Amino acid sequence: LAMDSPGHSPTFAASGGRGCGPFQPSSDEDDPVVHEPRSLFGALDHSREGSVDPTSFWDKTLRGVSGGVGGVRLVAETAAHETNALLGTTSQGQAHGTDDETLEMYFADGKRRAERKLRLVRHPSSEGEVAHFDDDGVDDGALPTEENAYAPRLPPRDDRFHPESLVDVTALRNAASKVESSYKNYEDLDESRNSENPRSPEHVPLSPFDTLESRSFPGDTGTAGISFAVSKITHREIDGSTHTHQHKLPQVQSEEQLGFQPWRLADLEDGVEHDLVSDSPPERQKDFIDESEMDRDEVDGYGTRSVMGKHSFKTALNRQSSIANRKDLLWKLSSSYLSNDVPSIQKSLVQHVEYTLARRRYKFDRGSFYQATAHSVRDRLIERWTDTQQFYASKDSKRMYYLSLEFLVGRSMGNAVSNLGLRGAYAEALRQLGYDLEDIMAQEKEPALGNGGLGRLASCFLDTLATLNYPAWGYGLRYKYGMFEQRLVNGKQCEFPDYWLTRGNPWEVERLDVKYNVRLYGKVMTYVDDTTETTRFTWEGGEVVVAVAYDTPIPGYGTYNTNNMRLWSSKPSTNEFDLASFNAGDYYGAVEAKERCESITSVLYPSDDNANGKVLRLKQQFFFVSATLQDVLRRYKKRLAPGRTLKQFPTKVAIQLNDTHPAISIPELMRLLLDEEFLSWGEAWEICVGTFGYTNHTILPEALEKWPVPMVEELLPRHMQIIFEINHRFLAQVELQWPGDVQKLKHMSIIEEPTSECDVKMVRMAHLAVVGSHVVNGVAEIHTALVKTKLFPDFDAMYPGKIVNVTNGVTPRRWILQANPAMSSIFTSILGPGWVNDLRRLKTLRPFANDASFQREWTSAKLSNKQRLAEWVKENIGMELMTHAIFDMQVKRIHEYKRQLMNVLSIVHRYAVICSCLEKDRYRIPPRVVVLAGKAAPGYDVAKKIIQLACGVAKMVNNDVRCVGTLQVVFIPNFNVSLAELLIPASDISQHISTAGMEASGTGNMKFVMNGGLIVGTRDGANIEIAREVGGENVFSFGATANEVAALRASMHTRKPPMDQRLLRVIRMIRSGVFGDPDDSKCLMDALDVDKDYYLIGHDFGSYLEALDRADLAYADRRGWAAKTIRAASSMWLFSSDRTIKEYADKVWGMEPSPFKPPHHQSNSAVLTHGAGKEARDSGRAGGPAMDKR
């Protein structure tokens, strides 16, 4: 699907002076568009034959304008000149381009390509300049007025699709004027910052495009076309101030805005914008020194060499001069960023094939070229990555560390080239070498570092943290085999190791120099500190495992900031190979220690239904947090400034615990501060509480981890002592607040006393996380309310305001821009690229939900996504899907509370209805394709039985001729991020039908609605907030509410509610063996008895079927359905992870963004300030001397 990408430049190509009209190639042979690759995001212009000028690519592609050989024009002229060409408008006093400049923009679906050709038109001026006319003789040079300021950007052409021309002018203007009121809630987040301090040069916009789009130059009086007018709507609301946009429409978008290049971001200095235009890559930063650049024994804590008494002052100066000279030389050897023109990229690819992979350059294969492309992209990531970390260190920014046991990152290549703005360049470079970028990206093996929503949420957060310029790292484990690879054998789930590292991982950097010892078992010794005469503790003996770091750069979109994800791999400390045992014939014993250590990071979530599994899980968690905290402390101590001690640790470090898995980090940090830094208990505890924040993701008892005290005492003896002390001091506070209340003490204690179900004491990790954190947050409004009232009511009473809500969000970069390029192109062509980092702009599309032309293109995009999925299913599963049917999806982790079983039962009911119908009535049933996907935990037998039943139903339905054209069911195995990117854009409805009160938030519901699907769901998790934002009429809700669930369960045994007759028929069919051996599903059917139905499937089944019927009826009205999906998709800004991270930064971490911008080359560049006049601009056009205040 070829299209213009948000963030990638439309192609400018010279016409070669062949006498063609403006932007009109003389023939297909001369037109580069004809031969461009049809990649997802269009193609970049490649150099003409014979062109050897290395700067020509930068002139044409990176700047979007051809200014002659080696010529570079001022941004002011470039922005106005190129934007007016795109928008079909002109500005007063604005000169126009020459006939040797050509603009090519493409829009196409899978079967067609529509070429756009634009013309530059010159206005009649006071000097009597001649107006340029189109081929039909019509003057296109009329200046826009107030009435046509919102005119479509591009003129419609016959059957070509121009989304921006579909919109009613008056309606859009009205929408733009009214949309402010819907953003008030979000503005409140910045109210304290903006109300007293209007936008200043240091203000960092939510979207990097805010800086791009706020340019204004003297003499420019032109008004904006539709894309810019809409894209600027939200900036006045974000800033909460009167900026240059208040009294007139802002200046039109420049070419960089329609296709950003990060090095073109405007700089703000002393309240003045400086636009620098470079015809080569920008310089790398020279001034910032990272904390690890110098050896610790040579450099003191302030970055300058210590002067020892035995050295003279002159010797010290000589040493400092030597360091400066060495630094200068090292910088000069790599003073600028890598070039990103097509020839440079091709050279990089070939070099990596030949030198990195040691393959012959003339014998390539897709696997080799994937590796070479990954290394080439990684080179460009690493230079930004290292410079960003140096920048953070030099600014001494507060950093946030996100601790998560899983990161479901998905494939990296597409995300990297998109965020770098290089998708088109790599597509063209590969095309010329005979490869397709999409085929190359498909070679990537998805990392097996996560399981479900928890890991995917963590990855969305890392993307957003980099995009919004927050200094942050993600920490986790590098699993050798991940969760598992799911295969279906005779309809049953079978688990196989996921060998995702077989061919290596080119995106990671092994840090053999970053290692930490992690101790397990052993004993605790005491001694008296001679200085303070206090008793101290030391942990000795036991087994020591080495944590080795693996780093992966995480790039932001529209910014240079590139953050880091550091994963730990376990290695043995000594005696990796016991030669004596080997020589004695004990071959397994020779490597036993190695295998025992490496097993810690072998598998994600080892089964804990046995004692050894529990021990391995706790080992994993402690190994992970111990290495992380040692790393964080080391980094902080190397940046100690005058007057700063460990007491200021919380002012420079924030640590977020993603669920209870990393909660053991609280006693571990206490151990490090007490036993290794020799702080007092009070000092250490104050630091600990001020540093940690805890995110609760569930109220399910089985998911709130508890560890047997004897097991913890054996594995982590010192930590058990610390936990006991924390609990003792905490319960003393509880006693003070509620004297004599034994039940309060029992309920709030971190240590759970033995019960009838468990005969040993248990450590409640969730209680430990609450006590040891300064903020606890839920992830949806209803979930946070349940945390306060049901899970931790006593803690909420003791610490009012400590428990807050931060509703989850997902990144639109991954889940709209990458996953759904068809829909993305519609948004971009109307709104410009700024929507990618600011989903509030989509709100202005709601008034056009009923526009027939807009609906036609919207549904066409949906159909293309369905066809793409159908092709994949046919190729991989061998089944042909009905693309005209409603696509009904439930794709998520398999669990009883998520109620996939109820979905399967509804399929059986629909199958029964179809079979009982006369043939003539069968065709009146709306055709439906039901898609199921998800993994069951290896030890979760009930969930596996649900998968088996679903596969049995699918087999029966798909082989019954009565269902042809009416019903299809498919279970897609091994669900992962890549499959989600394929499935979600193709959905019409998605099911989020958990028992109310049991789903914390969910993020799948957000992704589906963002991609134009509607929800069938309960009033649970984020479903409630989504319904409020998109409108209740656009969500098909059903079932008991969270408040009703508890009462229904309590009265279940006494009231014996009658079972729905339709459900009874379904159960009879399943028990009869129609869908397989009834013994396999017996436990599932037994659980549906009215006095055992814990998940209330029987209670909700009737209203669930009614909700599905309402969805079928709504889908039958295709125009009405299209209007619903447009309104829903354009109302999802609240569920962007950009909003979520900003709330975390304000409510939990107390952080500010730190945007990194490298210096630019001084040659052939010019600076234009707001005060510069025509003379400066003329000088810039003529290639005059550069001006740079820096």
Side-chain angles (χ1 to χ4, degrees), residues 184-261:
K184 182 171 180 58
N185 291 336
Y186 187 75
E187 290 171 31
D188 292 342
L189 293 177
D190 276 342
E191 184 176 355
S192 59
R193 204 175 307 161
N194 293 330
S195 59
E196 297 179 1
N197 182 24
R199 181 183 176 117
S200 62
E202 293 76 25
H203 175 77
V204 180
L206 175 64
S207 165
F209 295 94
D210 189 14
T211 303
L212 279 170
E213 296 166 353
S214 61
R215 292 173 177 155
S216 179
F217 300 101
D220 291 336
T221 58
T223 53
I226 212 172
S227 67
F228 189 76
V230 175
S231 68
K232 287 305 300 179
I233 286 172
T234 60
H235 287 282
R236 289 184 290 272
E237 290 80 45
I238 297 174
D239 300 338
S241 62
T242 56
H243 196 42
T244 56
H245 313 307
Q246 183 173 3
H247 300 296
K248 65 176 183 178
L249 285 172
Q251 192 61 31
V252 293
Q253 286 176 304
S254 65
E255 167 64 12
E256 305 93 40
Q257 294 161 286
L258 294 174
F260 85 89
Q261 298 297 341

Side-chain angles (χ1 to χ4, degrees), residues 229-409:
V230 175
S231 68
K232 287 305 300 179
I233 286 172
T234 60
H235 287 282
R236 289 184 290 272
E237 290 80 45
I238 297 174
D239 300 338
S241 62
T242 56
H243 196 42
T244 56
H245 313 307
Q246 183 173 3
H247 300 296
K248 65 176 183 178
L249 285 172
Q251 192 61 31
V252 293
Q253 286 176 304
S254 65
E255 167 64 12
E256 305 93 40
Q257 294 161 286
L258 294 174
F260 85 89
Q261 298 297 341
W263 45 85
R264 296 297 305 282
L265 295 175
D267 294 301
L268 288 171
E269 183 179 317
D270 300 326
V272 178
E273 290 184 358
H274 302 279
D275 283 338
L276 293 135
V277 183
S278 302
D279 51 4
S280 60
E283 290 180 347
R284 299 185 67 182
Q285 183 54 259
K286 179 182 178 182
D287 301 328
F288 303 145
I289 300 177
D290 186 71
E291 63 268 21
S292 60
E293 279 197 77
M294 303 295 179
D295 292 335
R296 183 63 178 163
D297 57 353
E298 294 182 355
V299 181
D300 64 22
Y302 315 124
T304 58
R305 184 172 295 278
S306 299
V307 180
M308 306 303 294
K310 63 182 179 180
H311 295 301
S312 67
F313 182 71
K314 182 177 180 179
T315 302
L317 289 178
N318 289 337
R319 285 191 172 186
Q320 291 183 353
S321 176
S322 175
I323 292 174
N325 292 335
R326 184 176 61 177
K327 175 187 171 185
D328 188 63
L329 174 60
L330 291 172
W331 175 78
K332 287 180 179 178
L333 292 173
S334 182
S335 62
S336 64
Y337 287 89
L338 294 172
S339 296
N340 294 320
D341 55 283
V342 170
S344 296
I345 290 175
Q346 290 174 332
K347 184 177 181 180
S348 171
L349 296 174
V350 173
Q351 286 178 335
H352 278 297
V353 169
E354 188 162 3
Y355 299 124
T356 305
L357 305 178
R359 306 283 177 87
R360 286 178 292 171
R361 69 168 68 181
Y362 303 107
K363 188 177 181 180
F364 298 152
D365 57 80
R366 287 181 179 175
S368 299
F369 246 90
Y370 159 70
Q371 291 281 340
T373 305
H375 280 95
S376 174
V377 175
R378 194 189 74 170
D379 290 345
R380 286 151 177 80
L381 287 174
I382 286 177
E383 59 187 7
R384 295 164 181 248
W385 174 43
T386 55
D387 286 359
T388 301
Q389 302 312 312
Q390 286 178 279
F391 173 77
Y392 290 160
S394 70
K395 295 298 183 183
D396 198 21
S397 304
K398 183 175 184 177
R399 303 196 194 193
M400 191 280 296
Y401 300 101
Y402 197 81
L403 275 58
S404 179
L405 205 57
E406 53 176 298
F407 287 95
L408 199 59
V409 296

Side-chain angles (χ1 to χ4, degrees), residues 9-12 57-66 78 82 102-103 255-256 264:
S9 301
T11 304
F12 276 80
F57 181 85
W58 294 88
D59 287 339
K60 293 196 296 180
T61 303
L62 300 185
R63 294 183 54 244
V65 63
S66 175
T78 303
E82 296 165 4
T102 303
L103 170 67
E255 167 64 12
E256 305 93 40
R264 296 297 305 282

Side-chain angles (χ1 to χ4, degrees), residues 496-511:
F496 292 83
D498 191 343
Y499 299 103
W500 72 282
L501 287 170
T502 300
R503 298 183 180 179
N505 179 17
W507 301 102
E508 68 183 8
V509 178
E510 185 179 20
R511 296 290 196 188

Side-chain angles (χ1 to χ4, degrees), residues 415-618:
N415 184 71
V417 295
S418 178
N419 284 10
L420 290 174
L422 297 177
R423 185 181 286 264
Y426 272 90
E428 174 61 11
L430 288 166
R431 186 196 69 81
Q432 293 184 12
L433 295 174
Y435 293 91
D436 181 76
L437 177 61
E438 305 307 318
D439 291 340
I440 294 299
M441 291 193 299
Q443 302 301 310
E444 181 175 355
K445 179 72 172 175
E446 186 166 319
L449 299 173
N451 174 37
L454 187 75
R456 185 53 236 171
L457 179 74
S459 295
C460 283
F461 282 2
L462 292 190
D463 169 270
T464 297
L465 285 161
T467 298
L468 297 185
N469 304 314
Y470 286 106
W473 282 35
Y475 278 99
L477 291 180
R478 181 182 182 266
Y479 301 102
K480 187 176 181 180
Y481 302 112
M483 181 76 172
F484 60 85
E485 179 183 337
Q486 181 194 52
R487 300 180 192 173
L488 299 178
V489 180
N490 296 324
K492 299 179 181 180
Q493 171 181 295
C494 294
E495 301 92 21
F496 292 83
D498 191 343
Y499 299 103
W500 72 282
L501 287 170
T502 300
R503 298 183 180 179
N505 179 17
W507 301 102
E508 68 183 8
V509 178
E510 185 179 20
R511 296 290 196 188
L512 293 177
D513 58 324
V514 181
K515 298 180 179 179
Y516 297 99
N517 290 334
V518 178
R519 189 180 304 277
L520 302 169
Y521 302 104
K523 58 184 178 181
V524 180
M525 306 295 291
T526 61
Y527 67 96
V528 177
D529 189 335
D530 295 335
T531 304
T532 61
E533 297 184 352
T534 57
T535 301
R536 293 286 181 182
F537 299 84
T538 179
W539 184 19
E540 299 175 351
E543 177 182 322
V544 176
V545 183
V546 176
V548 179
Y550 288 78
D551 290 347
T552 301
I554 307 295
Y557 181 90
T559 177
Y560 261 99
N561 287 55
T562 302
N563 289 337
N564 190 39
M565 179 177 68
R566 174 161 287 180
L567 305 178
W568 303 106
S569 181
S570 57
K571 306 290 182 183
S573 59
T574 57
N575 299 326
E576 178 175 335
F577 184 78
D578 188 346
L579 185 59
S581 297
F582 185 85
N583 290 335
D586 185 5
Y587 304 126
Y588 177 77
V591 296
E592 181 180 3
K594 176 177 181 292
E595 294 298 322
R596 186 171 60 251
C597 292
E598 292 184 350
S599 67
I600 293 176
T601 55
S602 290
V603 179
L604 168 65
Y605 297 144
S607 179
D608 61 352
D609 56 0
N610 57 76
N612 289 334
K614 287 183 172 65
V615 171
L616 182 55
R617 279 211 183 189
L618 184 56

